[in-house]
Amino acid sequence: DTAVSQTPKYLVTQMGNDKSIKCEQNLGHDTMYWYKQDSKKFLKIMFSYNNKELIINETVPNRFSPKSPDKAHLNLHINSLELGDSAVYFCASSQGMELEAFFGQGTRLTVV
Amino acid sequence: AQSVTQLGSHVSVSEGALVLLRCNYSSSVPPYLFWYVQYPNQGLQLLLKYTSAATLVKGINGFEAEFKKSETSFHLTNPSAHMSDAAEYFCAVRNSGGYNKLIFGAGTRLAVHP
């Protein structure tokens, strides 16, 4: 009964590859997010979708493309992976303008 | 623009001792503030939030935080540390724009020793 679930939890891949991370929430929320946590544990928002519409896009390279097929899902596709993309990626959700976001367990991406 | 500063990237306390994790914020409007905890290899879990109601906010696991506007602070405390409290703690402020976006501090790692 995990509220926000991400797959995979770990992802190791070579430079230049394309990969996707999937996120699903069963909280009935209408807003979903992707956050990136770098090696120094710093967290920064990347994208946000509200009712499948992109509402936040924070200076992220075009190689990153989020897709929201429905309100319960937000996937992150990354093209041409680079070493600097190595990080932990967190999916989160919230209900509209309600304040707290619920986070998934994270996906640790390692690019070699 | 909002920002959050957490003083002390590492804090170490003895089991049973007082925990104090510092957070100062910058905001041009009344802020909404949060503390999240991240246990090793886990996601973020909300500890507590301030939303302009009571200035002393109680959260889970015995944690509480006090909003002090004059000091632009939202420090997190726990009167008695447990070994299980060892984790990374993040202070965050919600942006004042139209969309719900959290701006995080750099985090404070809490170590609890016997």
Side-chain angles (χ1 to χ4, degrees):
Chain A
D1 61 344
T2 304
V4 182
S5 59
Q6 300 177 224
T7 54
K9 188 169 183 179
Y10 299 97
L11 184 54
V12 181
T13 187
Q14 291 187 325
M15 281 174 51
N17 283 351
D18 303 338
K19 290 294 178 185
S20 292
I21 306 171
K22 296 187 176 183
C23 179
E24 176 181 5
Q25 54 95 2
N26 63 6
L27 297 167
H29 290 165
D30 60 4
T31 305
M32 296 185 72
Y33 313 82
W34 280 109
Y35 281 82
K36 179 180 180 180
Q37 186 175 45
D38 64 23
S39 59
K40 296 186 177 178
K41 299 281 188 177
F42 185 67
L43 277 152
K44 191 164 191 278
I45 192 167
M46 300 173 68
F47 301 104
S48 176
Y49 271 75
N50 176 261
N51 284 318
K52 303 194 298 176
E53 180 184 350
L54 181 66
I55 57 172
I56 295 176
N57 184 343
E58 290 278 310
T59 321
V60 177
N62 291 338
R63 299 181 296 102
F64 289 80
S65 54
K67 284 189 172 50
S68 181
D70 56 57
K71 289 196 306 182
H73 295 85
L74 180 62
N75 304 322
L76 183 65
H77 188 74
I78 315 170
N79 290 325
S80 303
L81 278 155
E82 300 177 358
L83 293 176
D85 298 331
S86 295
V88 181
Y89 293 84
F90 286 101
C91 179
S93 72
S94 68
Q95 178 53 34
M97 296 307 285
E98 283 186 13
L99 302 175
E100 62 259 44
F102 293 81
F103 284 78
Q105 296 296 293
T107 296
R108 183 176 295 277
L109 171 65
T110 304
V111 183
V112 297
Chain B
Q2 285 91 345
S3 65
V4 173
T5 302
Q6 292 184 239
L7 295 175
S9 58
H10 290 82
V11 170
S12 181
V13 300
S14 299
E15 194 172 17
L18 171 72
V19 175
L20 171 61
L21 305 182
R22 300 178 186 274
C23 172
N24 288 88
Y25 68 90
S26 171
S27 178
S28 57
V29 298
Y32 295 132
L33 295 158
F34 307 82
W35 276 99
Y36 280 85
V37 60
Q38 184 180 24
Y39 298 104
N41 297 314
Q42 299 288 318
L44 282 80
Q45 180 181 359
L46 181 69
L47 271 178
L48 49 81
K49 63 182 179 184
Y50 168 75
T51 59
S52 74
T55 56
L56 182 62
V57 182
K58 293 189 185 298
I60 61 173
N61 302 336
F63 284 93
E64 61 182 38
E66 186 172 8
F67 172 72
K68 291 187 177 180
K69 184 178 178 181
S70 61
E71 299 178 6
T72 60
S73 69
F74 189 57
H75 302 332
L76 182 70
T77 59
N78 190 314
S80 178
H82 297 276
M83 299 294 288
S84 59
D85 294 327
E88 192 88 25
Y89 291 80
F90 292 94
C91 183
V93 63
R94 183 198 165 195
N95 72 305
S96 61
Y99 299 114
N100 188 7
K101 175 175 80 171
L102 292 173
I103 298 163
F104 285 89
T108 297
R109 174 158 293 181
L110 175 66
V112 182
H113 51 85

